Structures are given as C-alpha cells and as structure tokens.
Amino acid sequence: MNTSEAISASAVASLAERRLDWRHKAVPASENGTTHADFLAAKHTLADLQTPLLTLDADALTANADRLANWCAEKGVLLAPHGKTTMAPQLWAEQLNRGAWGITLANFAQLRVAREFGVRNLQLANSLTDPRAIEWVAAQGSTILSWIDSLGTVDVINRTLAGSDSVLDVLVELGAHGGRTGARGVDAAMEVARAIAASPNLRLVGVSGYEGSLAHTADDAGLAAVRGYLAQMRLLHENLLADGLYGSDSVILTAGGSAYFDDVVAVLSPCISEGSPSAGKRVDLMIRSGAYIIHDDGFYRGISPFSREGGQPFTAGMHGWARVVSQTEPGLAILDAGKRDLPFDEGLPEPQLIGPVLGGAMEPLVDAEITSVNDQHSFMTFDPKTTTVRPGDVVCLGLSHPCTAFDKWTIIPVLAGAASADSTGDQTVVDLIHTFF
C-alpha cells in the first residue's frame, strides 16, 4: 500500500478478480465460476438476475456520498463513516476518496477487515477489553482510536500491555442513563480520564459519544434529549482542557450517527475554536454517519436531518425484489423474500411496484402492505378489487435500515438506473459490491 493512500487502491481493485459461484445468492446460476470483472463486461441487466434480490442505485450512492462530503467541508468537520453499516471496502473507498478522515468500526473482526484492505485511519467505536484485540491494536503501529468508559477497561489494558512500551490512543466515552455504553455522567467520565492520564500505556486524545441511543424520533422530546446529552459532552471536554488531562496537542470530539449529525455540529462546533490557542490544543469535531450513503425508504427517510430541514434529502439507494410464490386467498400474496434477505428491525419492507417479470415494465402498488415476515417469506396484503396479483409477479420493495440489509448479502448488484415504473430506464449492472460481515 502507498503510505499516502487512505485505503489500498490495489486491494479494492483486486475484488474484480474474485470468482462468483453458488456462495453468492445474487449471482445467476448461469454465471457460476465467472469473475467479477467478466460479469460486468457482459453488461448484465436486472432482467438477468433472480429473486429474492437486493440491489443498489449507482446514482443515489454517488449523490449521497457527495452530499455529506460537501456538507462536512462547509461546516469544517471531519467525517469517519461507520463502516459497519456496509462492511464494503468498495464503498469505504468512495467515502475516503471524498475526504473522509478514516473509517469507524464496531469490533475487532471488523478492524481486521479494514486493515486487510489497507485503511490507514481507523476508529473503534467501542472499548477494547479482549486481550487478543488489545495486543493486535498495539502491534499495528498506525492510527487506531478506541474508546474507554470505565476504570475496569483501563485496568484490562494496563494488565494486557504491562511491561511493554505500547501506547494506545483513546477517547473517554460519555454515556447517559438509559443509553448504551459510556461513563454515566461527566464526573464519572472525568474519573476515567484521570486513570487514562495516569496509565503508561494510554494517551487521552478526545471525547466520544453516541447520541442515537437516547432518542428514536425527531420530535421535541427526542431532540431535547439529544441536545442535552451533547451539551454534557461539551462540558466534559471543557473540564478535560481545564484539568490538562489530554495527552496530545490534537484533540478529537466525536459523535453523530446518521440521524442527528446536524445537532452534533450545532452544539459541539464552537469547541473547534475554543480549544486553541489558550490551551495549546487543536480541536477537531468528527461525525460518524454511516447509513447516509445508502439511505432508505423507512427510518432514515423520516429522521435524517436533510429530510427534517426541508431541503434536498438523501436518496434511497437500495431496493428489494421479491416474487409472488403463492396467492391462494383474496388480498394476500406470499413473496419469496423474508428475514434472511431483507431488513425488518426498523420497519417492514414497503411494496412500491409490481410487474410480471424482473427487469420489465412495472406499475405502482397502491394500498399494499407487508404485514409480517418469516425467515424466507413475506406476507403482502392488497385490495383485490383494485389490484391483481398473480404467482410469478415481481414486487419492488422499499427498505428500512441499511445496517441490517447488507449483512444478508455477500454480493450486491449496483444498477445504473433507479427502480421505477419506467421500464425504459437503464437497468444495467454497473458494479458488484462485496461485503465482509
């Protein structure tokens, strides 16, 4: 890897040499054994594929990636996208090539994937408590940030690295009652920070947190909870500066998933200038939005800042495709896609279009609904007086929550054109996204 690269271009490019076979359920049986590159060279279209299926929209991915990159540049904040959303190095490369600082991940296994693809800057949005993971991170010799939220974690790392000259860069994580991880309150976080500062194997370089576990709506109550928590993060940072507990001249404040990143910037961006020059620190604000590049037709469609502020929202970049396998009672169709194929934890799939063949002309589905999903089936209700549904028909589905869509697919075709009732659009497969969950 070129040391100036944010991710290894050659490692990402090598995915085109991978052979496709029965292990990749999105790949047609007729293409068993072909390479990724040869598959694309054949100019396959949606009509050559089969159901169940997950596809991505090339134009939406590009537009979404550009939109947040430009927004971060305008606001003067760093972006470290949460790569666990897609676990797709090809998409990480798109984000890094647009100026992202690095990639955020959730666990040790994901760190190993990223390092295999040469990602230079990594952030573990979690605490290192597994001795094997601690030893691996210590041996990497390049930027991997991790979080600490308790004295117990400090002790585990001290014991694991005792006698070595390794020093891990860490951020103290602030949580809140009812949240997920994180020290419960500023006083508790300050106690953890003092222990970090006293450790020969740790260096405190910032403050971290996740506001998304404290609210699930964008109503007044939800936004108040988020903003109150972010104010506590700011207070913690100010106390750390006052007590001289940072061990680096460069400090990072990081929060912000894909739902409230605007509030993160509104509350914490004043800290960017307040840390310097009086305290002799450079302070950067970093958001970690991950789902934005895919977006959706469900949870994020409703809560994304760009949807709430009345401007141009992100574009849904993923769709599910399912075929009717049973229609034996009026108003009920059983589809061949279920929990093993499509996300369902943040809202059930949304029937949008129907047509007789995959890749052919489709019509809008009105008043149809997915009411439940089994492992391999979905239950779709519709009005038989206004809608005709036959076995073999194909349904295009809007989906919610990309984080639990990608993990079900090892290969995801990318289409040149978006899903629509207009069958004249370009539905050529222009890329295959490889995932590593």
Side-chain angles (χ1 to χ4, degrees):
M1 174 184 172
N2 184 328
T3 55
S4 65
E5 291 181 315
I7 187 171
S8 171
S10 60
V12 174
S14 71
L15 291 171
E17 303 167 9
R18 293 204 166 201
R19 293 206 171 271
L20 312 176
D21 57 28
W22 52 268
R23 290 169 291 188
H24 307 110
K25 64 182 179 179
V27 175
S30 61
E31 296 301 312
N32 189 58
T34 193
T35 66
H36 167 132
D38 288 342
F39 185 93
L40 296 183
K43 301 294 184 182
H44 287 289
T45 67
L46 178 61
D48 297 321
L49 306 179
Q50 67 282 307
T51 60
L53 183 66
L54 176 71
T55 63
L56 304 177
D57 174 0
D59 290 343
L61 300 185
T62 298
N64 292 342
D66 287 344
R67 180 83 193 281
L68 192 60
N70 292 337
W71 188 87
C72 288
E74 291 169 2
K75 300 294 183 181
V77 301
L78 302 178
L79 173 62
H82 212 323
K84 59 91 178 172
T85 296
T86 65
M87 286 306 295
Q90 294 153 284
L91 297 181
W92 298 347
E94 293 295 323
Q95 295 166 311
L96 291 165
N97 292 340
R98 286 169 170 79
W101 169 89
I103 297 295
T104 300
L105 294 162
N107 60 37
F108 180 29
Q110 293 172 5
L111 287 178
R112 293 177 63 194
V113 172
R115 191 43 52 90
E116 182 69 21
F117 282 89
V119 180
R120 185 175 67 231
N121 292 336
L122 294 168
Q123 176 176 208
L124 178 69
N126 219 332
S127 293
L128 285 167
T129 56
D130 184 320
R132 298 292 177 263
I134 294 168
E135 292 167 349
W136 184 87
V137 169
Q140 290 302 297
S142 57
T143 303
I144 300 180
L145 307 178
S146 63
W147 300 1
I148 293 182
D149 69 354
S150 72
L151 299 179
T153 301
V154 174
D155 183 59
V156 170
I157 294 174
N158 284 341
R159 286 188 282 110
T160 302
L161 298 180
S164 78
D165 58 2
S166 297
V167 178
L168 304 186
D169 286 341
V170 299
L171 299 90
V172 61
E173 182 191 1
L174 180 68
H177 293 289
R180 195 164 60 191
T181 55
R184 292 317 199 234
V186 171
D187 290 343
M190 288 294 294
E191 185 179 10
V192 174
R194 294 187 187 97
I196 293 170
S199 168
N201 299 115
L202 295 170
R203 181 171 66 160
L204 183 62
V205 299
V207 174
S208 62
Y210 177 53
E211 74 293 340
S213 63
L214 303 177
H216 213 65
T217 64
D219 58 16
D220 290 345
L223 294 177
V226 166
R227 292 165 184 167
Y229 167 73
L230 294 170
Q232 290 297 295
M233 279 191 66
R234 178 174 175 175
L235 176 61
L236 172 58
H237 164 66
E238 292 168 347
N239 288 351
L240 293 171
L241 280 175
D243 286 8
L245 292 177
Y246 286 125
S248 170
D249 291 336
S250 181
V251 174
I252 290 175
L253 305 182
T254 179
S258 293
Y260 305 106
F261 58 80
D262 58 333
D263 294 290
V264 170
V265 172
V267 176
L268 295 180
S269 61
C271 299
I272 296 175
S273 57
E274 289 177 0
S276 176
S278 60
K281 306 292 184 186
R282 171 189 170 88
V283 181
D284 284 308
L285 176 58
M286 177 189 292
I287 64 171
R288 305 187 305 275
S289 309
Y292 76 95
I293 191 170
I294 307 300
H295 199 52
D296 67 12
D297 280 310
F299 176 70
Y300 287 110
R301 178 178 63 188
I303 204 170
S304 167
F306 293 157
S307 298
R308 288 187 273 120
E309 68 184 19
Q312 177 62 40
F314 290 121
T315 302
M318 65 176 180
H319 289 89
W321 305 85
R323 199 175 302 271
V324 177
V325 292
S326 178
Q327 207 285 290
T328 55
E329 63 180 81
L332 175 65
I334 308 300
L335 311 183
D336 66 352
K339 295 178 180 178
R340 303 283 175 85
D341 312 296
L342 306 174
F344 58 92
D345 59 315
E346 291 285 4
L348 294 175
E350 175 185 279
Q352 295 179 338
L353 303 168
I354 189 168
V357 296
L358 184 65
M362 306 196 87
E363 297 179 353
L365 259 175
V366 180
D367 295 329
E369 181 182 7
I370 300 297
T371 57
S372 64
V373 289
N374 294 157
D375 286 353
Q376 312 290 174
H377 298 93
S378 295
F379 292 71
M380 184 180 79
T381 59
F382 61 94
D383 185 352
K385 296 178 181 177
T386 59
T387 302
T388 300
V389 177
R390 301 179 178 88
D393 282 351
V394 174
V395 176
C396 176
L397 299 158
L399 305 175
S400 179
H401 202 202
C403 300
T404 51
F406 272 61
D407 65 328
K408 296 166 176 57
W409 297 86
T410 54
I411 292 283
I412 307 175
V414 181
L415 303 180
S420 73
D422 180 6
S423 62
T424 64
D426 186 358
Q427 295 178 308
T428 302
V429 178
V430 294
D431 205 354
L432 297 173
I433 297 300
H434 298 252
T435 68
F436 300 87
F437 281 92

